[in-house]
């Protein structure tokens, strides 16, 4: 290491308040693990964000549903500020006065006995995998190192080594081997394939009730209830990853509620931290969570008082049912307005609650180009695969603002069609 590398002044300097200047800096010094739209957000409130040049945008992505309550919701900011003045981190070496009340109310909201708090979504999924394997050995009686988990094609559960081991997305998966064994992939939503993949060593079926990263893919009616039945029959844990689909996004607290189904394990994240701090959790009943004993799993920051205070404020907001009801109420409007664009540049639309996957005619434009054009019209959204975009505005959006999102998309498609 040289002196210049450790001299603070060498790394500092005024940056022109332009999008370009910040993007150039970031390109130089931050790893290129994302390909963001050219918008540099400086301020945000509710459904609106403002970039460093003062341009305003309606945020129709909500940080992949981590901002279900919008940016800086006053109740959540107040809970965070209040806790910042008390205590922020204890580690789990000691108790804190926020964790118990948070876990009690989150468990009640989900209809489960116990909560294991973590930080990121991937950690929650890793935790659920560990719990399912341990349950397999200690409760189901699977022989050592034989535990097997069925997963879905097109899954997205995070970026850790084990999780990318069973991802079929080459960008997420390739060149990160050697991979963790013990997973079998079946087509998403295919009950017969799941049944065929289950063996005596199977401990869990891990699935997303709706596949967000895959473009809001909604399984066929009856999949969730059929899977519940199958898991019960075969003594296999039904593990629902509700990290993106949960906490109000689909018009219910959990997407599994669409078919009145209760999973054995839920993973939650994103919106649980209110868009303020990373908070994730695994929820399960005592007979499953009981396999976790002191020293067998943990995280320095998991269950910290700041995270628990914010998470608790999120749970209190969800307990009123107001946000879920609003999403459910706007769903038909959202669907109807988007479906009106089919044949005018859109090929297909999938909507549940305030969550939509729209497939643009690939001959017209890519999803990335559509998102760039949407940004020029003041709406932020993100492409997923090819020509698909995902729309997931904050659940606090008004009907009029939702109309602005669809109008902007209609304008982008009309522009592209007329310049063909
Ligand atoms: C369904 C699902 N599971 C897990 C994750 C991973 O969450 P995180 O990025 O917080 O690790 C995501 C993130 O998009 C997700 O959508």
């Amino acid at each position: 290491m040289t002196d210049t590398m450790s001299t603070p002044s060498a790394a500092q300097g005024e940056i022109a308040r332009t999008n370009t200047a910040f993007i150039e800096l970031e390109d130089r010094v931050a790893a290129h693990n994302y390909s963001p739209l050219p918008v540099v957000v400086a301020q945000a409130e509710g459904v609106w964000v403002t970039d460093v040049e003062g341009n305003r945008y309606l945020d129709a992505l909500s940080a992949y549903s981590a901002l279900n309550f919008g940016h800086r919701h006053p109740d959540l900011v107040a809970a965070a500020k209040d806790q910042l003045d008390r205590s922020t981190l204890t580690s789990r070496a000691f108790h804190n006065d926020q964790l118990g009340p948070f876990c009690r109310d989150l468990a009640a909201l989900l209809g489960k006995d116990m909560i294991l708090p973590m930080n990121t979504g991937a950690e929650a999924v890793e935790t659920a995998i560990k719990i399912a394997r341990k349950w397999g050995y200690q409760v189901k009686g699977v022989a050592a190192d034989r535990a097997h988990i069925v997963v879905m094609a097109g899954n997205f559960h995070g970026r850790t080594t084990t999780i990318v081991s069973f991802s079929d997305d080459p960008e997420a998966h390739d060149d990160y081997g050697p991979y963790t064994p013990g997973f079998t992939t079946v087509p998403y939503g295919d009950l017969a394939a799941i049944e065929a993949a289950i063996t005596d060593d199977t401990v869990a079926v891990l699935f997303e009730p709706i596949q967000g990263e895959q473009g809001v893919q909604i399984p066929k009616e009856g999949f969730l209830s059929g899977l519940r039945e199958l898991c019960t029959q075969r003594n296999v844990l039904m593990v629902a990853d509700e990290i993106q689909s949960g906490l109000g996004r689909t018009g219910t607290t959990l997407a599994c509620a669409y078919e009145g189904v209760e999973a054995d394990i839920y993973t939650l994240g994103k919106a649980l931290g209110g868009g303020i701090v990373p908070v994730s959790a695994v929820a399960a009943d005592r007979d499953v969570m009981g396999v976790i004993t002191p020293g067998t799993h943990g995280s320095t920051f998991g269950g910290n008082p700041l995270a628990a205070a914010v998470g608790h404020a999120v749970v209190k907001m969800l307990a009123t049912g107001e946000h879920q009801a609003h999403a459910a109420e706007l769903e038909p409007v959202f669907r109807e307005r988007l479906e009106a664009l089919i044949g005018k540049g859109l090929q297909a639309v999938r909507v549940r609650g305030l969550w939509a996957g729209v497939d643009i005619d690939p001959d017209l434009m890519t999803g990335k180009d559509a998102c760039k054009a949407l940004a020029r019209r003041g709406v932020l959204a993100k492409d997923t695969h090819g020509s698909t975009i995902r729309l997931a505005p904050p659940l606090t959006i008004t009907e009029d603002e939702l109309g602005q999102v669809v109008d902007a998309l209609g304008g982008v498609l009309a522009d592209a069609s007329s310049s063909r």
Side-chain angles (χ1 to χ4, degrees):
M1 195 197 266
T2 65
D3 273 346
T4 29
M5 285 172 83
S6 56
T7 306
S9 58
Q12 290 173 353
E14 279 298 307
I15 303 161
R17 299 289 297 173
T18 65
N19 287 317
T20 311
F22 281 95
I23 291 167
E24 277 173 7
L25 173 65
E26 202 178 292
D27 264 356
R28 239 186 6 259
V29 296
H32 295 179
N33 55 334
Y34 283 89
S35 166
L37 289 176
V39 172
V40 180
V41 175
Q43 274 215 283
E45 187 170 8
V47 301
W48 296 96
V49 302
T50 309
D51 73 11
V52 286
E53 296 174 14
N55 304 304
R56 261 178 116 224
Y57 307 86
L58 201 161
D59 182 356
L61 178 68
S62 308
Y64 307 98
S65 290
L67 288 157
N68 274 359
F69 312 99
H71 294 266
R72 296 166 53 236
H73 189 287
D75 292 2
L76 302 179
V77 169
K81 283 186 172 165
D82 187 48
Q83 192 57 38
L84 279 171
D85 287 336
R86 294 163 190 267
S87 79
T88 55
L89 183 62
T90 50
S91 82
R92 296 292 300 280
F94 315 113
H95 298 276
N96 71 68
D97 64 357
Q98 298 300 312
L99 182 59
F102 165 56
C103 291
R104 176 197 61 204
D105 293 351
L106 178 58
L109 182 77
L110 305 172
K112 289 288 172 206
D113 293 340
M114 299 179 91
I115 301 295
L116 196 163
M118 296 294 282
N119 312 283
T120 64
E123 283 176 299
V125 174
E126 285 277 345
T127 304
I129 291 169
K130 288 172 75 175
I131 293 171
R133 284 181 167 182
K134 207 160 193 192
W135 172 87
Y137 299 125
Q138 298 191 348
V139 180
K140 184 169 173 171
V142 172
D145 289 344
R146 302 272 314 168
H148 165 251
I149 295 177
V150 179
V151 297
M152 305 294 127
N155 68 71
F156 187 86
H157 296 288
R159 304 288 195 168
T160 58
T161 318
T162 288
I163 292 172
V164 301
S165 292
F166 58 84
S167 168
D168 53 15
D169 174 357
E171 283 188 352
H173 172 274
D174 291 358
D175 293 329
Y176 291 122
Y179 299 107
T180 308
F183 300 91
T184 298
T185 306
V186 299
Y188 181 56
D190 186 337
L191 284 173
I194 297 173
E195 187 166 16
I198 292 176
T199 70
D200 290 347
D201 293 332
T202 305
V203 295
V205 176
L206 170 63
F207 72 103
E208 297 152 83
I210 292 176
Q211 288 190 329
E213 294 302 307
Q214 205 48 244
V216 191
Q217 298 295 340
I218 302 175
K220 270 200 253 116
E221 200 91 22
F223 170 65
L224 297 173
S225 48
L227 183 58
R228 176 64 277 174
E229 220 172 285
L230 183 59
C231 287
T232 304
Q233 267 171 16
R234 303 292 298 268
N235 193 25
V236 162
L237 297 174
M238 179 178 179
V239 182
D241 181 348
E242 293 258 14
I243 286 164
Q244 195 165 158
S245 60
L247 306 182
R249 173 58 53 195
T250 62
T252 45
T253 301
L254 294 167
C256 281
Y258 185 75
E259 290 189 22
V261 157
E262 198 189 311
D264 298 303
I265 297 182
Y266 295 113
T267 57
L268 295 164
K270 296 197 191 286
L272 193 56
I276 297 177
V277 276
V279 187
S280 67
V282 176
D285 280 337
R286 203 169 299 280
D287 56 338
V288 173
M289 195 67 93
V291 299
I292 294 294
T293 51
T296 58
H297 188 65
S299 152
T300 303
F301 282 87
N304 73 72
L306 179 60
V310 174
H312 199 183
V314 166
V315 170
K316 285 179 188 160
M317 284 171 64
L318 285 166
T320 69
E322 179 197 330
H323 294 280
Q324 298 91 317
H326 185 63
E329 204 176 286
L330 287 185
E331 177 184 313
V333 182
F334 200 20
R335 177 180 298 109
E336 194 182 315
R337 301 258 350 238
L338 285 170
E339 281 179 352
L341 298 176
I342 292 178
K344 295 178 184 162
L346 287 193
Q347 291 186 327
V349 167
R350 297 168 293 280
V351 181
R352 176 124 339 135
L354 274 171
W355 205 14
V358 298
D359 299 338
I360 296 171
D361 177 354
D363 291 339
L364 194 63
M365 65 202 310
T366 63
K368 179 106 191 183
D369 285 340
C371 289
K372 283 184 185 161
L374 272 172
R376 289 194 290 274
R377 284 176 174 265
V379 169
L380 298 183
K382 191 77 173 84
D383 53 305
T384 56
H385 294 271
S387 286
T388 298
I389 3 184
R390 177 182 12 181
L391 298 170
L395 307 182
T396 51
I397 195 168
T398 64
E399 186 173 338
D400 180 57
E401 288 164 337
L402 194 61
Q404 292 177 44
V405 173
V406 184
D407 287 346
L409 180 61
V412 164
L413 298 171
D415 284 353
S417 301
S418 67
S419 64
R420 258 220 286 205

